[in-house]
Amino acid sequence: MKTKATSLDIAYQAGVSQSTVSRALRNSPLVNEETRKKIQALAKELNYKVDKNASNLRSQQTGTLALLLFEDPTSDDSMINPFFLSMLGCITRATAKNGYDLLVSFQQLSEDWHADYEDASKADGLILLGYGDYVDYEAKLKQLAEQETHFVRYGSIEEGQTGVSFGCDNVKGGYDMTQHLISLGHQTFAFLGGADEHCPEFKDRYLGHCQALQEANLKVINNNQIDAISTEGSGFEAATQLLRQGKLPDAIFCASDMIAVGALTVFQKQGIKVPEQVALAGFDDIPVAHLTSPELTTMQQNTKLAADVLVESLIKKIHDLPIDSALIPAKLIVRESCGGG
């Protein structure tokens, strides 16, 4: 009787180690493309099938990554920031491409994620999306690091922060959006969104906004920065507060698209025309941004690239390879709401 081919047979014919065969058959980025294709072709030729249970037992790994979302206030029952919903599909595809399964859950269901996932052998590592108040969240990251949890996160990149993060270049994004609004002739501005250490991504967008204004010799009006979290309701309240101050600025830069949608609702209720009377811009390029009327000018975060980087970096970390935090550029998407579409 002909015996079934084993990973050792493939390793022998390919001239590589058995561990390299295992990684190549999982589409691991740790194996170069030429070697990976050679091994996969040999596996097909020999009709080799991976015994996933046996493979996981040998490696003492689950072959699963856990994606933990933060529960955000939303207008529906999902409790997921719409931006992270768009990232979810990209991360699912990136995980599958690298030969892993994906477990999706919320961060707030437990106080001990390490025990819930790595210690319980549910997942080999964690991808963290969202954080709420960053000042409070930093303590959780330190706890994960002390427990030697394999994790990466998408969010702000701060000096001296715990762990490895990947995120949008928010300072450059805020700068580029404001430069675009200035190029359209706008002279007075408001910024809707938090701008302190509790929401560092919004703070960086505001810093980029202020930098562009200062370079153009335009005044930064302090009371025209109004705190808001990334919800339509918060944007509605912030825009209402801005209107109560009296003078409408030429342009309003919102720290997220959801804030901008809330502001747009206020202006429509008040009969204020966008962009004729005030230009409006957001950040993120979530699907709703091109469904509003007028369609929303925004900064697009590259969710596909972010997903690939998060997944591949986590896999490297699981295999004790070095990884570093990195910024991902944002792209200006010009539509009708700022008058430049």
Side-chain angles (χ1 to χ4, degrees):
M1 181 182 293
K2 186 177 180 181
T3 59
K4 292 171 62 175
T6 69
S7 59
L8 283 172
D9 296 327
I10 299 172
Y12 176 77
Q13 292 197 31
V16 299
S17 67
Q18 189 179 20
S19 60
T20 299
V21 171
S22 177
R23 291 190 184 106
L25 296 178
R26 294 201 314 267
N27 288 312
S28 169
L30 304 177
V31 182
N32 70 60
E33 185 177 3
E34 182 181 352
T35 302
R36 189 163 65 243
K37 286 182 177 179
K38 179 180 179 181
I39 290 169
Q40 290 175 351
L42 279 169
K44 187 174 181 180
E45 180 185 329
L46 297 172
N47 199 27
Y48 174 78
K49 302 293 183 185
V50 177
D51 183 340
K52 191 168 184 180
N53 291 330
S55 175
N56 291 343
L57 184 62
R58 283 194 302 271
S59 65
Q60 294 186 323
Q61 293 180 351
T62 66
T64 299
L65 306 180
L67 171 63
L68 303 187
L69 295 146
F70 189 84
E71 288 189 11
D72 282 304
T74 58
S75 57
D76 57 18
D77 293 331
S78 72
M79 302 299 286
I80 301 175
N81 184 315
F83 171 69
F84 290 134
L85 273 177
S86 66
M87 279 195 73
L88 177 57
C90 294
I91 290 174
T92 302
R93 284 189 289 274
T95 306
K97 182 179 72 176
N98 284 281
Y100 280 77
D101 295 324
L102 185 66
L103 173 64
V104 181
S105 189
F106 283 103
Q107 297 176 20
Q108 294 181 325
L109 296 180
S110 168
E111 289 301 314
D112 195 348
W113 305 337
H114 182 276
D116 287 346
Y117 294 96
E118 284 204 38
D119 284 357
S121 298
K122 291 181 182 177
D124 301 326
L126 312 178
I127 298 172
L128 309 178
L129 297 185
Y131 54 83
D133 186 326
Y134 185 77
V135 173
D136 295 335
Y137 195 68
E138 177 67 15
K140 172 59 75 174
L141 298 181
K142 287 180 179 177
Q143 180 186 356
L144 289 175
E146 288 168 359
Q147 295 168 325
E148 299 184 349
T149 307
H150 299 111
F151 75 93
V152 295
R153 62 180 287 269
Y154 189 83
S156 62
I157 298 177
E158 305 291 304
E159 186 176 350
Q161 71 179 18
T162 303
V164 173
S165 297
F166 301 94
C168 177
D169 190 343
N170 291 297
V171 174
K172 184 68 162 54
Y175 179 87
D176 288 348
M177 176 60 78
T178 306
Q179 268 207 328
H180 173 69
L181 293 169
I182 292 170
S183 75
L184 298 174
H186 301 304
Q187 298 286 305
T188 57
F189 292 81
F191 181 89
L192 305 186
D196 59 24
E197 68 276 10
H198 297 279
C199 41
E201 289 168 289
F202 285 8
K203 179 190 71 175
D204 284 349
R205 292 168 196 176
Y206 181 62
L207 290 174
H209 167 70
C210 292
Q211 181 184 344
L213 292 181
Q214 290 162 354
E215 288 183 7
N217 295 315
L218 296 174
K219 187 176 181 182
V220 177
I221 303 171
N222 290 333
N223 66 348
N224 275 9
Q225 182 272 311
I226 300 175
D227 286 347
I229 62 172
S230 191
T231 67
E232 185 177 347
S234 189
F236 188 99
E237 292 174 5
T240 300
Q241 182 180 335
L242 179 67
L243 292 180
R244 289 197 191 109
Q245 293 177 184
K247 191 172 181 181
L248 190 67
D250 296 340
I252 299 173
F253 177 23
C254 299
S256 77
D257 290 343
M258 291 307 297
I259 294 173
V261 169
L264 182 60
T265 303
V266 172
F267 299 145
Q268 290 173 336
K269 286 180 178 290
Q270 296 293 327
I272 297 170
K273 294 182 178 179
V274 177
E276 292 84 356
Q277 291 175 265
V278 60
L280 183 68
F283 206 108
D284 290 335
D285 196 29
I286 60 175
V288 74
H290 67 85
L291 298 176
T292 57
S293 182
E295 293 186 12
L296 188 63
T297 291
T298 187
M299 294 300 299
Q300 182 186 77
Q301 299 198 53
N302 191 332
T303 53
K304 182 183 183 304
L305 176 58
D308 288 342
V309 169
L310 284 165
V311 170
E312 291 172 10
S313 297
L314 179 56
I315 293 170
K316 287 180 180 179
K317 189 169 183 65
I318 290 166
H319 289 91
D320 297 320
L321 295 174
I323 57 173
D324 293 309
S325 298
L327 291 171
I328 297 172
K331 178 182 178 182
L332 174 66
I333 304 296
V334 178
R335 299 194 180 103
E336 301 164 350
S337 68
C338 66

